[in-house]
Amino acid sequence: MTADTLQAALAEYFAPWVQALGLRVEAFDADSVTLRLPQNDQLSRVGGMLCGQAMMAAADTAMVLALINQFGEFRPCTTVQMNTSFLKPLSGQDALVQARVVRAGKSLAFGEIDIRGASDCKSACRATTTYALL
């Protein structure tokens, strides 16, 4: 797997509105992928805070890329459950979205996502996910 392969998957497998988030592959290892979500006024609410909807979309997208990385290829999947906790506002900086595969079986996969400020490295959002592998 390469960062270019993972980046290309964003254009190949995701809807145009997800692509409009401007996500970039920042790093990856054996069981995780980290994306950069650029600070963008269109994704911010009053006070310049990154909106929760953008964080959840970025988290879900990062986990699908982590699964591609885990399997070495795209496998059709669908989100079954996503539990999200917003820990603090994220303003005036890019977000780093790290998705880690906890377990990937034959029909289900489980993951954890941490979204933190790219400048201050403080966690702003944590999510857990379950995916059905189709």
Side-chain angles (χ1 to χ4, degrees), residues 10-33:
L10 285 167
E12 188 170 349
Y13 300 113
F14 294 91
W17 70 268
V18 174
Q19 295 175 39
L21 294 172
L23 295 165
R24 304 293 310 163
V25 175
E26 186 84 3
F28 69 97
D29 59 28
D31 63 349
S32 73
V33 169

Side-chain angles (χ1 to χ4, degrees), residues 27-85:
F28 69 97
D29 59 28
D31 63 349
S32 73
V33 169
T34 301
L35 303 181
R36 180 177 289 264
L37 174 61
Q39 192 281 328
N40 180 333
D41 290 341
Q42 291 184 339
L43 302 177
S44 299
R45 39 179 280 202
V46 175
M49 294 180 288
L50 180 63
C51 70
Q53 296 93 330
M55 285 191 265
M56 290 180 74
D60 193 44
T61 302
M63 185 51 64
V64 173
L65 290 181
L67 289 170
I68 291 171
N69 184 46
Q70 175 85 18
F71 295 126
E73 64 181 359
F74 175 76
R75 285 189 55 190
C77 60
T78 188
T79 308
V80 173
Q81 179 271 336
M82 180 180 226
N83 184 25
T84 308
S85 297

